[in-house]
Amino acid sequence: MGNKIVEGMSAMVTSSQEVSSHILVVNFIIVNAFLVGHSDEWVLVDTGLENSADFILQSVENRFGKNSRPQAIILTHGHFDHVGSVIKLSTLWDVPVYIHQLEMPYVTGKKDYPVADPTVDEGMVAKMSPTFPHTSIDIGSRAAALPDDGSVPGMPDWKWIHTPGHTEGHISLFREKDHVLIVGDAFTTTKQESLLSVITHHEQIGGPPKYLTTDWEASESSIRHLRDLKPSLAIPSHGESMEGEELMRHLDMLVDNFSKIAIPK
């Protein structure tokens, strides 16, 4: 299901960085995955691309020890760059995979995403986006809907927040005790449509990746909701983490100018 150009770029440079207490960002240039928790209880949030499993496993061993396995895998949504390694890893670890109920059809072989729209931006990533995988995967009985009460299995200090727009069942994750936010694709801190920005992680807060976003009104509402939570640190799936006054200033700008900054012309 992979896109060989995207996978080749992601394999060129991989890195990991602890950005907050018990959160390791595993970076594949194109997208981030996250190890959240400590050696006694941890989860993997998103699984990168189809060729991301080996580096994730190496990061797990380095952080938690050999043969460690998570309580669960949590998916922010079902796009190819977030579920690429989920079949391999969930099978290896024999763990459940939690996702919003509205995303379940995309990971159980029942429904495909729309083909990406290359007309949303002049950037090279946008132009190549119709070649990105959009068909569903099937993780079978390991797929489980997130609890209705907002709790996150394996993440006792966190809650999930429904942030639709990029996809109908997209979620973000919020740790209320210190206002840390794992954004997913609800917004980005790089211009994801531009190949140069993706490679350099040039800081430029914006909405979700335009070429795969289906509902801009819902996206704007979701970003406003996240801004109103007053996050102290935002950790996106695309781009670098942003914190403090800089984060709030950028989020205010994004909310106030959403139609100019985010929505395709």
Side-chain angles (χ1 to χ4, degrees):
M1 66 174 284
N3 178 286
K4 297 306 179 185
I5 296 175
V6 170
E7 288 182 356
M9 289 171 54
S10 73
M12 290 190 322
V13 182
T14 54
S15 63
S16 61
Q17 179 186 13
E18 184 166 41
V19 296
S20 183
S21 173
H22 303 309
I23 305 174
L24 186 78
V25 176
V26 184
N27 174 253
F28 298 100
I29 294 297
I30 298 295
V31 69
N32 299 323
F34 314 96
L35 299 178
V36 183
H38 46 77
S39 57
D40 294 330
E41 185 175 37
W42 62 276
V43 303
L44 173 65
V45 178
D46 290 340
T47 67
L49 298 155
E50 197 168 12
N51 66 343
S52 298
D54 287 347
F55 188 68
I56 290 174
L57 289 170
Q58 185 61 59
S59 300
V60 167
E61 182 174 337
N62 292 344
R63 189 164 180 81
F64 302 121
K66 196 170 184 179
N67 299 322
S68 181
R69 70 174 194 167
Q71 302 291 310
I73 295 173
I74 311 295
L75 298 176
T76 59
H77 60 300
H79 279 159
F80 78 103
D81 51 341
H82 297 256
V83 304
S85 298
V86 71
I87 292 176
K88 180 175 182 178
L89 293 173
S90 63
T91 301
L92 175 67
W93 289 326
D94 190 21
V95 294
V97 179
Y98 290 93
I99 195 167
H100 192 280
Q101 180 67 49
L102 292 173
E103 296 290 295
M104 287 282 280
Y106 302 104
V107 297
T108 53
K110 294 181 173 62
K111 189 176 180 180
D112 296 339
Y113 288 110
V115 176
D117 182 357
T119 68
V120 296
D121 192 270
E122 292 302 315
M124 189 178 296
V125 176
K127 294 307 178 190
M128 72 170 72
S129 64
T131 70
F132 296 165
H134 69 96
T135 55
S136 63
I137 63 170
D138 189 356
I139 57 178
S141 61
R142 289 192 176 85
L146 284 160
D148 291 337
D149 63 3
S151 63
V152 186
M155 299 175 67
D157 294 331
W158 295 77
K159 64 179 181 179
W160 66 265
I161 299 167
H162 187 204
T163 47
H166 186 56
T167 68
E168 56 189 330
H170 186 282
I171 65 159
S172 303
L173 300 167
F174 188 61
R175 190 165 66 186
E176 194 161 13
K177 68 178 183 180
D178 56 4
H179 283 221
V180 171
L181 178 69
I182 295 177
V183 178
D185 283 6
F187 63 83
T188 62
T189 60
T190 191
K191 183 174 170 55
Q192 189 63 21
E193 299 76 23
S194 162
L195 183 62
L196 180 62
S197 290
V198 167
I199 292 172
T200 63
H201 276 195
H202 175 68
E203 194 173 88
Q204 181 176 330
I205 199 165
K210 295 177 182 178
Y211 43 82
L212 286 173
T213 296
T214 56
D215 186 335
W216 288 102
E217 185 176 346
S219 174
E220 181 177 11
S221 178
S222 292
I223 293 171
R224 187 179 299 275
H225 182 191
L226 294 179
R227 188 277 306 268
D228 291 347
L229 291 174
K230 299 189 181 333
S232 62
L233 172 68
I235 311 168
S237 293
H238 302 286
E240 301 289 338
S241 300
M242 191 177 289
E243 62 184 331
E245 292 182 3
E246 179 189 26
L247 169 61
M248 291 308 300
R249 184 173 67 252
H250 277 78
L251 281 175
D252 285 340
M253 180 182 66
L254 178 58
V255 168
D256 293 341
N257 300 279
F258 187 81
S259 61
K260 295 179 181 178
I261 295 173
I263 299 177
K265 301 299 187 287

